[in-house]
Amino acid sequence: MAMGLHNSDVKNPVLRWVDQRLPVITMMQKEYGTFPTPRNFNYFWNFGALAMINLVVMIATGIFLAMHYQPNTVMAFDSVERIMRDVNFGWLIRYIHMNGASMFFIVIYTHIWRGMYYGSYKAPRELLWMLGVTIFLLLMATAFMGYVLPWGQMSLWGAVVITNLFSAFPVVGDFIVTLLWGGFSVDNPTLNRFFALHYLMPFMIVGVVFLHIAALHITGSNNPLGVEPKGPQDTIPFHPYYTIKDTVGIVVYLMVFAVLVFFMPNYLGHPDNYIPANPLSTPAHIVPEWYFLPYYAILRAVPNKLGGVILMFASIMLWFALPWLDTSKVRSMKFRPVARFLFLLWCVSFATLMYCGGKPAEEPYVLISRLATVYYFAWFLVLLPLLGRLERPLPLPESISRAVLGIRALGAGPMPAGAAAKPMEKA
Amino acid sequence: MKRFLKIAALAGAVLVAAGPSGQAAGEARHARDGGFGFANLFGSFDRASAQRGLQVYKEVCSTCHSMNLLSYRNLTEIGLSETQVQGIAATFEVTDGPNDEGAMFQRPARLSDRFRRPHPNDAAARAANNGALPPDLSVMIKARHDGANYVYSLLTGYGQEPPPGMTIGDGMNYNPYYPGGQIAMGQVLNDDQIEYTDGTTASADQMARDVTTFLAWAAEPELEARRRMGIRVLIFLGIAGVLTYLVKKKIWADLKPA
Ligand code: HEM
């Protein structure tokens, strides 16, 4: 081997030549082939791969939409309908992109929920988790700006409401709002910059996803038990075990996606967005997309505008601090009966906020939102820090292989060493 | 597999929780079910009804409402021949130009022309309608909650007594299906107002049904192709799902303790 060339195992001479100079094939083999992965993932561990696919789908459909879309207030609405009518399979591309945003949030919310329930944010995965929250913030910004592009009534009025929130900040507020608008109201310059940013941000997401994955491959994955793998008997190679399991998940995901796109493409949208934007006519109820409803409910639960804005932003910013707010050493809620119950209650408060966010700001919804908001924050700021000290967790299993293979093996005496090691030989 | 179903159930629950909450609370009466075939999951547009609906639009609605997103050529999709559509288009005069002398001129519409608008601009439309703007009808069915049933109910919802205590404004009409109950559009469909070319009796209800079918097609011309493709995609994914699941079970089989 010549000096400076990578020592490649690849057989094919052409690929080998490449791999010696740029070891991408070795890297893929290491990170997605033999990568040692806990053997006990459940199907919640599919959602990272699903999010990745969803991102690719959004970028692919988005680029084709951008070829026909006109970011101009006079033409935007009609240009989207032209895509639906006059572009070959334009309706398909647009409905995939539109419902793809909803699918993205379904997938990401499940992915985040998985991380919270199984304690995936705890050491040593804090940074991995924070990169994930960053992706979520970028995703929210991207989806918000995307929703403005078709320039229907909800596009315009949603943009008016959300951009106006920034004016609540003292001193810098008005400056930020003018910057967002590019003028003195939500108008053509706003649409132009939102389009530019909507095109840019998905690629920023790609960058952060890369860091997210890089960090994952340093610490390795968490698992439903929350117990680190202790040796080769606890892990299996990523390929073929998890490549095939992810494929099963992908097919199911595509089926849900297909039902939305082909049979109920406008079910999750608001009919008002098929009314062209009109600055002179305010819709009776301005409602954001379903995935923003919990935060919208928090915003409206607070009587003071600045207070509402701060709580709304804080409701997600707190996620960054989660690794330090949770003082328990035990990761998985499986072994934390009290925390598990209170966490599921937190999920109920989240769902309640989502429900109230879609309702008009009147009683009883305001009162319910307030109660749910209090619990939302109490979980992070009071219960979680205290539970780590007060709660007695259940005994943790000795190791993953013990817990997964053990029930039968335990009864039959110590597990034969070969039983778990055998599949490794296949890899 | 059980966990799997749980995930699916979770996703389903999110969809159900998220959907209807997006709809604003209605102050209007709930729309009547028009029993439209295309509203069924695998339904399609009744071509004869859509063609009659076109006639209703042409002879009644088009004096006030535009349909800017449609071109005459699109009409072949509801079962009319190209010659028939050419004939329909030719009955409308549209403005073209400028010609070699730089002047605009009138000519009969062609297949490639957009539907002729009744008013040159919104201000003119308002002026002709007591200050109210008749909205464009191209995507009307998508732009209202439960669109088809709503438009059908709206068109047949006139002539009822307003609730006591409600004062109907000048030039306004009571219609319980319209949010607020008062609409600037008067009753536009009356029994035997037009004569259907296919001999169907033109009752007000029949015309409302037909024009709604036409508008539903206009709002979602891709609906039938979409559902057809959807069925194929789901069958394909169903088979792929079973196969991958079996392969997964086979691959994972050797991980079970002996
Ligand atoms: C993170 C990925 C993305 C998300 C979450 C997202 C989200 C959205 C949403 C919610 C809409 C409004 C859909 C509607 O109601 O019509 C939209 C529209 C649009 N997006 Fe994206 N998008 C993403 C990536 C992209 C990319 C990469 C591009 C361009 C290269 C793009 C181009 C467009 C265009 C042109 C529209 C306007 C057409 C339309 O409204 O259908 N998107 N996007």
Side-chain angles (χ1 to χ4, degrees), chain B residues 41-58:
Chain B
L41 208 51
F42 301 114
S44 51
F45 295 117
D46 178 342
R47 295 292 190 281
S49 176
Q51 291 178 18
R52 288 194 299 270
L54 167 66
Q55 195 186 339
V56 177
Y57 171 73
K58 216 168 61 129

Side-chain angles (χ1 to χ4, degrees), chain B residues 141-157:
Chain B
I141 303 294
K142 284 197 289 191
R144 295 290 181 277
H145 176 56
D146 196 12
N149 290 330
Y150 167 73
V151 170
Y152 165 69
S153 305
L154 184 81
L155 292 173
T156 54

